[in-house]
Every structure is written in structure tokens, then in C-alpha cells.
Amino acid sequence: MISHNIYLDHNATTKLDGNVLEAMIPFFTEHYENPGSSHLAGLTVDEYIEEAFRQVADLIGCRTNEIIFTSGATESINLAIRGISHGERNHLVTLCTEHKAVLDTVKDHAEKSHLNCSILPVQNDGLADLDLLEQAITGKTLLVSVMLVNNETGTIQYIKEISELVHAKGAFLLCDATQAVGKIPVNVQELGIDLMAFSAHKFYGPKGIGALYVSKDVKKYLSSQITGGGQQKNRRSGTLNVPGIIGMAKACEIAKESMDHHAAYVKNLRDRLENRLLAIDGTSVNGSLRHRIFNTTNVVFKNVFSEQLIMALQHISVSSGSACSSATTEPSHVLKGLGLNDEDALCSIRFSLGKDNTKEEIDVVVRRISELVAQFR
């Protein structure tokens, strides 16, 4: 019998890896100096920061000078969307299933800066319609923003093909890779990404630290949105979050070493969970079954509202969508974008698994959900 909490909400955040915490602690106590200081202690910390740049860059296949450390993916997305400019180009393109960090920023920036924006529908499986996307991109398009892995359904977009369409029109590609980096191989060179946002806390690193990849060819078109001290070569001012950066770098190092093993293990658990949940009458999976990340499944429980089910599950942590909008009772914009009606969207639950989950936990979850669904119906 399992007595502890069961956590199946890893797309919201993950538990800090013990090795990451161990790497961070000396930078709260022993190496607490400011890396911007010119004394020996400060220069020593700066050397650790340079190594951290290397470890993060190594995970995503870029150069160290193409990384900007931020407070997280949301800030990275804001820097990319608000900071990019190129001649007379005044058109932004994105998909209706993007995270609110992209959608709200695109809408706000377009309104305040008098830009045009196109928010495109997706296919019923959550994948972008490449023909529609190609038609939407014009000679005036500045930036196209498409996420690599959807945070609610796990759908993986065809980013390489999308980048080819974007670059054929001379535009830039921003990729929100928050749910991908540290979980699956991501190489910005191979995928043709110009700007990419990601956060450490999605792959067992600390909260409050993230990064924006900016390709060498795009750097000159990006303006800083935080000015003051000139840190990070004037691209993002502010005293560096040293413990956070060290922690993110360690999480990147661990992810590179253990990614394949964790993916295989977690996929088996996800499939076990999904197959058993689908044995319950009136259930189905939202989004693509073929093109999705290994740890996520989003399931409709017909005629059972997810909010009611989540509350009844008590010590089993699951979600009805993005953690950023979980306080609302509105149907998920992602699921609506896939064509679900309001009721089915409000009866859907996202399960996102992690490396510490077990078969025993999965069996407990299935048994409890089966009981509750029968009870509520």
C-alpha cells in the first residue's frame, strides 16, 4: 500500500535532483561572491559561470556565446518577441495552441508596437498545418513562434520542416522548447532554430532560472529588454543568479547522460497508465498518438468534470492543463484548438510522468480514478 503523495504533474514542475542541489549549495555559502566583481573571489565565481555556459550550450548543440541566462522561459519568450526587429518586417505568426507566455506576449506586443499578427489553427491532432503556415508567412513576417512539445498534450511539432518554411521567407523562428529540453534530444543547429526558450525546473533543475538561445546570425537583431549593469554582454542586465545557473548547468549535464534511460523507463509507465485508463468506458486521448513526448497523456473522461476529479484524488497530483492557468474554470484553449467542445475539454486531465514514478503508483492511480469515475457518473 502506497502512503505517500503520487506526483503525475511533471510538466508543471519537477522535483530538484539531489545532485543538482549538492552542486548549488557551495554557491550560497562558500562561493557567494558576485561574478561581476574584479577581485580574485569574484573572478573565481565567473570561471564557474563560464563552465556553466558550456554545459548548457553542450546540451542543445550551440556555442556558449549564444546563450542568455534569464529567470525562466517566460522571460526568454518575452525577450525574443519584444526584442527582435528587422527592417520593415512587421508581422508575427504563431499557433492557437501555444503556451500563454507566447500568445499573450504576441498579442500585447503587436498591439503596443502596431504590428500585425496571425494566430493559426492546428489540425485535430495538434500538429501545425504546414500548408496553412506556409501561406501565412509573407515577405513582411518578422517572427514565427512554434513550440517544440506542447505542454498539455505532449504533441511534438515538425520543427525542422517549419524552420525551412520560415527561412524561405527570410523570417526568424522562435521555439518554446520548455517541455522538450532535458527530456528529448534537442539540437538547435539540426532543427534550424533561431531563438529558443527553456527553463531548468522542467528537467529536475531549480526554479527561477532559464535561458534563451540566440543564434549568431540573429544576435544583431535582438535588443535587450532589461538594461542597467551591462551583464551578459549588454543582452540581459542584472546580477547573475549564480546558484540557479550552476544548478541549471548540472541539470543539463545529468540530462545528457541519463536522457535515453529515463525516456524508455517513463514511456513504459505512461503506456501502462494510458492503456489501463482507456479501458474505462467513455475515455479517449487528446492530441497525436504518434508524434508526442514519452511522458505525457491527456485523457477525456466523458461526463466527469476534471476539477471535481482532481479534488477527489487528493494526494494524487494531476492537472487539467497548464499550471499557469489552472486557477480558471475555463476550458483549455489548447484542447479547444484541437476541436474539443467545452464539456469534453472540461472533462480532460493531463498526466505527466517523471523518473521517480513507479508501476505501483500507476496501478494505485488507475484503481482510484476508476472508482471515482464510476462514482461520479
Side-chain angles (χ1 to χ4, degrees), residues 19-134:
N19 291 313
V20 172
L21 177 60
E22 186 178 344
M24 293 173 67
I25 287 174
F27 295 88
F28 288 108
T29 55
E30 182 182 353
H31 301 298
Y32 56 84
E33 298 85 3
N34 191 324
S37 298
S38 57
H39 48 65
L40 180 58
L43 293 174
T44 299
V45 174
D46 189 54
E47 289 180 2
Y48 283 108
I49 293 294
E50 289 303 313
E51 175 61 13
F53 271 106
R54 187 197 64 75
Q55 289 173 301
V56 175
D58 190 48
L59 181 64
I60 64 170
C62 73
R63 301 172 179 84
T64 57
N65 62 4
E66 294 175 315
I67 293 289
I68 302 173
F69 284 117
T70 66
S71 63
T74 296
E75 184 193 331
S76 297
I77 287 165
N78 272 263
L79 172 54
I81 293 173
R82 298 182 192 278
I84 198 77
S85 63
H86 185 197
E88 299 299 315
R89 290 179 177 264
N90 63 355
H91 180 222
L92 307 174
V93 178
T94 191
L95 304 180
C96 68
T97 50
E98 293 292 300
H99 193 281
K100 288 291 187 180
V102 168
L103 291 174
D104 288 354
T105 305
V106 163
K107 292 173 187 175
D108 182 71
H109 183 53
E111 180 181 347
K112 290 179 178 176
S113 301
H114 307 292
L115 304 176
N116 300 313
C117 72
S118 300
I119 300 176
L120 306 179
V122 296
Q123 301 174 126
N124 288 341
D125 59 3
L127 291 168
D129 183 326
L130 297 186
D131 291 334
L132 187 63
L133 182 61
E134 184 176 22

Side-chain angles (χ1 to χ4, degrees), residues 198-227:
F198 52 109
S199 283
H201 76 102
K202 303 294 188 179
F203 55 102
Y204 310 100
K207 297 176 181 66
I209 185 69
L212 177 67
Y213 157 76
V214 185
S215 76
K216 61 182 178 63
D217 297 325
V218 175
K219 267 189 217 174
K220 60 185 175 183
Y221 301 110
L222 188 71
S223 300
S224 173
Q225 299 301 293
I226 299 178
T227 56

Side-chain angles (χ1 to χ4, degrees), residues 171-192:
F172 301 130
L173 175 64
L174 165 62
C175 183
D176 171 8
T178 309
Q179 296 294 342
V181 171
K183 297 179 184 176
I184 60 175
V186 177
N187 187 297
V188 291
Q189 302 295 329
E190 293 176 1
L191 294 173

